[in-house]
Amino acid sequence: MNVFDADAVWAASQGEGVTVAVVDTGVDSSHPDLSGQVLKGKDFTGDGNAQEDLVGHGTRMASIIAAHGHGEGNKSGMMGLAPKAKILPLRVIRKRDDKNQDETWAAAVHYAVDQGAKVINLSFGDEYSQTGVTGREAIAYAEMHDVVVVAGTGNNGGDVGYPAALPGVVAVGAVDKEANLWENSNTGKQVALTAPGVDILAANKTRSQGYGIASGTSDSTAYVSAAAALVRAKYPDLTAGQVINRLIKSATFANHKGLKAPDEQYGYGIVRPYSALTMNIPAGPKGNPLGQLDASGSTSTDGSKGTGASAQAEKKSSSSGAALIVVGGVVAVVIIGAIAFVVMRNRRNGGNGGPGSGGGISPQGSGYPNAQQPYPNAAPNQGYPAAPGQFPQQPNPYTQQPPRQGQ
């Protein structure tokens, strides 16, 4: 199993100077692994505090992207893939049963662009209707202002949901530890990349120990957003389209031989951050290789390699609201698929990392798009029964110190 050397990745880039907007349930800035990483942000639900997260989902995404550990030498807790990126929390859902209306998240996308975010993470989607005009205009606005927009394909095993299916959006599916497509990951010609999304550990202060485990394309989306932040930090002169080009040109099909990119399941392959940072890839055209919406969001143009507009684009428009796209997990995973992403900071001071059992809703019940229950309440004694300031000592099924990623 090929995995990347996190230290080698961070020697090349840690996402410094890049702001990633997390359009979600807010981000808990008090979590020790995120202290100092979370900007003020803005609440779009009318409650007023984007640094409050009653659900845990937004905090989870933020930690996958930019957690830095805590304690002496930051050796406790978890590390995100881009630990020096800043998180701009934009709360569009307050409670777990709230609907995420197009008008609400579209306003957040506009705000993110105006605040200088270089990457926008959209770990939500609608699998049953097309994004309405307001949402399409917001995505077009971001694309025209040189922002990388990343969204999850969806979790019901069907067609790629919206806004991921829109031209120019990096639509991300989920793979498991064997680099195989997760059974619930949505597929279609709009899939751009895949990333780890099964049994992922992340920060979540709604759980008793401050961490939780889940599976879904929400998590894989956050990994790709972090990878985009790494590339934007190292190559600040590249356009958003050129950043996307590096991500798709450096991706791998791993053990899946004979696939032709873009594949309807894996897109251009599994994202490889180290390769995206170090491979000799010409900058190429400035435009987005995945296509782009026009200023009104009503039509699209294809990029040089673009997947183009979705065949679903003729579906009836709807602003009924997109759901968070996460399904519950069952066991701890630190290193997933062909790449190691979340690194437990006690790997050098005797800890094995990884929890025992996990919580989450059953794989059969994604709560998407109506129930909208990305994380249920943790059952007693679920999570991580570790001593304060230490990460749990249960056996970890994946190596703590991955070797350097191969080509």
Side-chain angles (χ1 to χ4, degrees), residues 72-354:
E72 183 179 357
N74 286 338
K75 292 181 179 179
S76 296
M78 62 167 285
M79 291 285 289
L81 182 57
K84 290 189 177 178
K86 294 295 185 181
I87 298 295
L88 179 67
L90 303 175
R91 186 160 74 162
V92 295
I93 295 175
R94 182 170 179 267
K95 298 178 180 179
R96 68 179 69 246
D97 57 352
D98 289 346
K99 289 189 176 181
N100 188 11
Q101 302 289 351
D102 280 6
E103 292 79 3
T104 306
W105 66 255
V109 167
H110 273 275
Y111 183 86
V113 174
D114 294 343
Q115 293 298 308
K118 289 297 184 181
V119 182
I120 298 177
N121 187 85
L122 306 177
S123 288
F124 58 80
D126 191 336
E127 296 157 335
Y128 301 101
S129 59
Q130 183 188 355
T131 298
V133 173
T134 303
R136 293 174 67 92
E137 288 178 345
I139 298 298
Y141 184 74
E143 291 174 358
M144 287 187 299
H145 286 80
D146 195 42
V147 178
V148 177
V149 181
V150 189
T153 59
N155 293 347
N156 71 355
D159 294 333
V160 175
Y162 283 85
L166 293 174
V169 177
V170 183
V172 184
V175 293
D176 63 19
K177 67 184 179 70
E178 303 296 337
N180 295 321
L181 191 75
W182 179 49
E183 62 183 0
N184 292 328
S185 186
N186 290 20
T187 60
K189 68 179 183 179
Q190 303 87 5
V191 178
L193 290 166
T194 47
V198 180
D199 300 331
I200 302 296
L201 176 94
N204 186 343
K205 286 195 73 176
T206 68
R207 298 297 182 92
S208 60
Q209 297 297 325
Y211 300 90
I213 302 167
S215 300
T217 59
S218 280
D219 295 28
S220 52
T221 297
Y223 285 129
V224 171
S225 290
L230 294 175
V231 174
R232 300 220 82 164
K234 183 172 182 180
Y235 302 101
D237 295 332
L238 293 185
T239 66
Q242 290 167 335
V243 170
I244 293 169
N245 182 59
R246 286 195 75 87
L247 293 174
I248 64 178
K249 289 284 182 63
S250 59
T252 177
F253 285 130
N255 56 309
H256 303 287
K257 306 300 182 182
L259 298 182
K260 182 179 179 181
D263 178 74
E264 291 197 0
Q265 291 187 323
Y266 294 90
Y268 290 88
I270 301 166
V271 69
R272 294 196 296 178
Y274 182 74
S275 293
L277 292 168
T278 59
M279 283 181 67
N280 181 16
I281 300 173
K286 292 184 177 181
N288 191 329
L290 304 177
Q292 183 169 331
L293 292 168
D294 71 6
S296 69
S298 61
T299 61
S300 64
T301 56
D302 292 339
S304 59
K305 288 184 174 294
T307 56
S310 168
Q312 302 172 42
E314 300 304 320
K315 287 184 178 181
K316 180 180 178 182
S317 294
S318 171
S319 59
S320 59
L324 300 171
I325 45 180
V326 169
V327 178
V330 291
V331 295
V333 170
V334 176
I335 298 169
I336 292 290
I339 314 163
F341 288 101
V342 182
V343 179
M344 306 321 302
R345 293 301 288 170
N346 71 337
R347 67 191 186 278
R348 293 192 180 94
N349 63 332
N352 291 324

